[in-house]
Amino acid sequence: MAGNTKISLRIRGPDNDDGHVRFDDFISQLASIRKALVVTDHTVSDKASTYFRVVDLQHNSPALVVLEAVPIRPALDNSEKVVGRFFRSLGDIERGVAPDGFGFSDFQAFKEVTNLLDKDRITELVISRDSEQTKRLTSLSPQIEKILGPDEYEIGSVTGMLEQINVHANQNVFTIYPTSKRRKLRCIFPSHLRPQATQAVDQYVRVYGRMKYKSHLEEKEPYEMIVKDLEVHIPEAELPTLGSLRGIASGTGEGTPSEDLVQRVRHEW
């Protein structure tokens, strides 16, 4: 295994809890860091190549967690690359620069890393790499919003699998996983489309509407759509076969020249 593959996380809770981290906040903070590490792995490799294990855990207020990057397949060891890319991405964002290969969802994952700092539920978050590189994080949200720039809009359509629908409290949101190589797309739909949307779960659909883009991203790719309409694609198993079409034009007469058949159809119209 390559060296320099450990990440230390020092997390301190609010002063009114004597610096202790609340249990749910501790879980949320680790989950957000894990998500950022996962998207970092995807910028290094097309498939998941690295997992992280806890190799040390201390509570000295602040709490200390040490993670180690481990290759999923020993023949493809990206562990040091992933850790290095993670720290470079943090540094790029802090300087207001877009990390290489980042899309909208990648930025959102890194923004979540400092969500609890923004809410003062975590008062200190320090991330270090084998004691050689240390970052005392502050809110990443302002820099990420600056990098992404304002929204741009465009009317268009996307085709893909409809999944992860949420109609609780009239949220009316589903996710489209495009048939192309585009990233998943969050879609907000009006209440009158709810019956169609719920019936279309796990089916291929085409959605039409106003798509949102971030103006400063090099790759112009929508991250959200306000849906105006959707149509469900008929499953391939339900499409008619050539055999089922036999007899559909009965009565035309065998041996009738094709020109006469076309002329007859035109007269019937």
Side-chain angles (χ1 to χ4, degrees), residues 13-265:
D15 292 337
N16 59 5
D17 280 327
D18 298 323
H20 301 299
V21 183
R22 298 185 182 186
F23 184 48
D24 54 341
D25 290 338
F26 184 69
I27 293 172
S28 296
Q29 185 63 70
L30 293 182
S32 66
I33 292 171
R34 177 190 176 277
K35 187 175 181 179
L37 290 169
V38 168
V39 302
T40 302
D41 188 15
H42 289 166
T43 66
V44 172
S45 177
D46 291 337
K47 298 181 179 180
S49 66
T50 306
Y51 71 91
F52 287 81
R53 61 189 179 195
V54 178
V55 294
D56 198 2
L57 187 62
Q58 301 176 25
H59 178 251
N60 296 321
S61 189
L64 177 69
V65 181
V66 180
L67 306 175
E68 182 179 34
V70 182
I72 294 174
R73 296 171 295 278
L76 179 63
D77 188 351
N78 285 331
S79 53
E80 190 169 4
K81 288 182 181 178
V82 171
V83 172
R85 178 70 65 85
F86 176 69
F87 276 88
R88 286 197 303 275
S89 298
L90 285 173
D92 288 343
I93 292 171
E94 288 175 331
R95 295 194 307 274
V97 177
D100 291 340
F102 263 42
F104 180 80
S105 59
D106 303 317
F107 280 109
Q108 295 305 104
F110 270 72
K111 184 189 290 187
E112 290 179 19
V113 169
T114 58
N115 273 355
L116 293 178
L117 279 172
D118 295 339
K119 298 174 182 177
D120 296 324
R121 287 159 58 182
I122 296 292
T123 57
E124 181 182 82
L125 179 59
V126 179
I127 302 180
S128 57
R129 181 186 186 188
D130 285 350
S131 301
E132 294 181 3
Q133 190 173 7
T134 299
K135 290 188 176 296
R136 184 181 299 272
L137 295 184
T138 56
S139 177
L140 296 176
S141 183
Q143 292 290 15
I144 288 175
E145 290 303 315
K146 182 179 178 182
I147 292 170
L148 292 175
D151 284 328
E152 292 182 347
Y153 301 92
E154 184 177 291
I155 300 298
S157 66
V158 174
T159 300
M161 178 74 74
L162 191 157
E163 297 183 15
Q164 298 178 345
I165 191 168
N166 185 357
V167 296
H168 179 69
N170 290 319
Q171 291 190 63
N172 292 345
V173 175
F174 58 71
T175 300
I176 292 291
Y177 288 82
T179 51
S180 64
K181 291 185 178 181
R182 285 182 170 181
R183 301 172 190 263
K184 64 182 181 181
L185 180 64
R186 182 175 187 265
C187 296
I188 302 171
F189 61 94
S191 295
H192 72 269
L193 288 179
R194 182 181 291 187
Q196 287 177 260
T198 53
Q199 291 175 12
V201 174
D202 293 333
Q203 297 189 58
Y204 284 102
V205 301
R206 176 175 290 174
V207 289
Y208 304 85
R210 189 176 73 158
M211 297 184 291
K212 289 184 180 181
Y213 300 83
K214 282 298 183 181
S215 58
H216 291 176
L217 286 180
E218 289 185 10
E219 184 178 357
K220 190 175 182 182
E221 186 171 317
Y223 72 90
E224 186 177 271
M225 174 188 280
I226 306 299
V227 178
K228 301 298 183 184
D229 197 9
L230 70 86
E231 62 181 34
V232 180
H233 287 192
I234 300 174
E236 186 175 346
E238 297 179 14
L239 292 174
T241 62
L242 289 175
S244 68
L245 298 177
R246 180 176 297 171
I248 196 170
S250 59
T252 56
E254 293 185 7
T256 303
S258 58
E259 294 85 354
D260 293 345
L261 288 176
V262 172
Q263 196 69 25
R264 184 186 305 174
V265 170

Side-chain angles (χ1 to χ4, degrees), residues 4-15:
N4 219 9
T5 57
K6 291 181 180 179
I7 299 175
S8 297
L9 313 171
R10 198 162 71 240
I11 309 169
R12 190 177 190 280
D15 292 337

